[in-house]
Amino acid sequence: MGPENRKSPRNKTYAKVILEGSGVLGYLRDLSKEGCQLAFVGNPRLNDGDLITIEVLPAEEMEIPRFSMTVRIMWTRNDPVYYIAGGLIASVKDGQRLERLFEYYA
């Protein structure tokens, strides 16, 4: 990986996600106010620049309702278990829910 280019802090995060249109399951990781990392089970065949929509399913004990957000893919890589993608958050259907998730892991 290259030099660190993030301008805001990131939090280690854990929430299940579903990739809209394909149903591929994954996890939301390393959340910042601008971006995130996604770890998918299976290869959804994403490319740099793709705009994807994911449904975020926070753990029930967080008391944060599920919400959707759109992410612009900036990079991808395979690891032994997951297909990893990093991206910028383009839009969030309910930004307060994302903010609550970010604060939960702060």
Side-chain angles (χ1 to χ4, degrees):
M1 291 249 144
E4 182 66 48
N5 293 320
R6 288 181 183 84
K7 294 181 174 92
S8 64
R10 62 181 165 163
N11 295 334
K12 295 292 183 196
T13 315
Y14 174 84
K16 293 178 184 176
V17 298
I18 302 171
L19 180 60
E20 186 178 275
S22 71
V24 173
L25 301 175
Y27 301 97
L28 176 68
R29 298 180 172 172
D30 289 345
L31 179 65
S32 77
K33 302 252 182 189
E34 289 85 28
C36 62
Q37 183 182 106
L38 301 164
F40 291 104
V41 179
N43 185 341
R45 301 198 190 324
L46 303 175
N47 297 300
D48 292 1
D50 284 353
L51 202 56
I52 64 167
T53 300
I54 57 170
E55 185 168 2
V56 180
L57 304 117
E60 199 170 300
E61 63 270 11
M62 292 180 194
E63 298 180 356
I64 302 170
R66 63 175 53 192
F67 61 96
S68 63
M69 67 182 190
T70 304
V71 176
R72 179 161 313 277
I73 300 301
M74 302 304 290
W75 58 266
T76 61
R77 75 168 190 265
N78 284 306
D79 86 359
V81 178
Y82 298 105
Y83 181 84
I84 310 292
L88 299 174
I89 298 171
S91 66
V92 182
K93 189 166 186 179
D94 187 331
Q96 290 180 338
R97 293 178 186 179
L98 178 62
E99 184 65 30
R100 286 176 58 196
L101 184 65
F102 186 78
E103 289 173 0
Y104 183 89
Y105 284 104

